[in-house]
Structures are given as C-alpha cells and as structure tokens.
Amino acid sequence: MKAAALRILALGVLLASGHVLAQSAPAPLPTWEKLTPEQREALIAPVRDRWNREPGDRGRMLERAQRWQAMTPEQRAQARHGMKRFEGMSPDQRRHARALFARMKTLSPEQREALRNEWKKMTPEQREAWMRDNAPPPRDRDRDRNRRPER
C-alpha cells in the first residue's frame, strides 16, 4: 500500500512539472538528465528509505539492481510481467510459485519443460504432495523478520 502511494506521488510530481495534459497523447517524459532535482528526489526517496530501513537486505537489493542493469529490454519486460502475475496471486499460489522457482533454478532447460508439463497434469492433492517433498528452505528475509524485535 505504501509503495503504491509512493509510486502515485512520484508520478504526480512528474506530471505536475508544468506540462499541460490536454493533448490527445501525453508528451513523452524527459530523460533523467532533464528531470528537476525535485523529480529526481521523488523517484529516489523510496529506494533510499528502504536501503536505510532494511540493512539486512542491502546485499540483495544491490545484487538485484546489478542483475536488472545487465538485462536486455526483452528480459526486463518479461520480469515486469512476472512480477505483475506474482502480485496478483493468492498466498498459496505464491508459495507454489516460490517452490517451483527454487526447483527450476536447479534444472536443465529440458528438465524444466518436463516439470512444467508434469505440473499441469497434477491434481491439487498431487501438487500439495510435491510441495511437501520439494519445499524450498525459508528465505533469509523471512528468517530475519522472525528474529527482529517488535517495534
């Protein structure tokens, strides 16, 4: 919820930069170099706040940023699509997706395809049994969150 509000705020700052939106097609947004300091701050602030708030996640945040920079535009589009799908999943579907993803990382492309085909044919009961047998270890962030003192 907070992240969505920050995104809306950042978009509002960009739109409030003096451009009239009465056109049929919105004007393209400027390059980074042409953003005002206020616009840049609005875009950077959420990342800086999370960086400062979650020191245990800094390594993962930096690694993800570096991986993102190395992606092609097509890979980035595919990643955005996957993130949107994941956000729309139920907690149980997310649990399944995490387990499948962890397992898929260890397989060859041929083995991945075989598992995808097998998964599609499984009943819900068979999928739950597969989940029990192949559950990934808890994520570091989850373990850290469980250890953190209440604020």
Side-chain angles (χ1 to χ4, degrees):
M1 183 77 155
K2 189 175 182 181
L6 289 171
R7 287 185 195 133
I8 291 170
L9 176 64
L11 182 59
V13 169
L14 288 172
L15 294 176
S17 65
H19 297 291
V20 178
L21 296 178
Q23 310 166 34
S24 62
L29 296 173
T31 62
W32 182 262
E33 292 75 20
K34 293 186 180 178
L35 292 174
T36 66
E38 294 80 17
Q39 291 169 325
R40 291 181 188 183
E41 177 62 24
L43 292 166
I44 292 173
V47 175
R48 182 185 54 238
D49 293 345
R50 182 169 174 222
W51 182 271
N52 289 335
R53 187 179 59 246
E54 302 175 23
D57 287 347
R58 290 177 185 168
R60 185 171 56 236
M61 290 171 64
L62 183 58
E63 183 269 329
R64 284 182 178 170
Q66 290 167 337
R67 206 170 17 151
W68 185 261
Q69 290 299 315
M71 288 182 180
T72 65
E74 294 79 22
Q75 289 170 323
R76 289 180 185 182
Q78 187 178 10
R80 282 188 197 100
H81 176 72
M83 287 186 280
K84 285 181 183 179
R85 279 188 60 207
F86 190 79
E87 288 171 358
M89 291 179 180
S90 70
D92 201 44
Q93 289 171 320
R94 287 181 183 197
R95 185 173 58 87
H96 286 182
R98 281 187 189 106
L100 281 168
F101 183 78
R103 180 74 173 118
M104 292 277 192
K105 286 191 322 186
T106 68
L107 302 176
S108 69
E110 296 79 22
Q111 291 170 319
R112 286 183 202 145
E113 187 61 30
L115 179 55
R116 274 190 210 99
N117 292 334
E118 182 183 339
W119 185 264
K120 290 175 186 177
K121 296 174 186 174
M122 288 182 190
T123 65
E125 295 79 20
Q126 290 170 322
R127 289 180 180 177
E128 281 303 319
W130 186 93
M131 290 292 299
R132 281 191 303 276
D133 296 340
N134 296 279
R139 296 178 301 165
D140 290 338
R141 186 173 64 186
D142 293 339
R143 284 193 301 257
D144 291 344
R145 193 172 283 144
N146 292 335
R147 289 186 204 152
R148 289 182 186 157
E150 293 296 318
R151 297 177 198 209

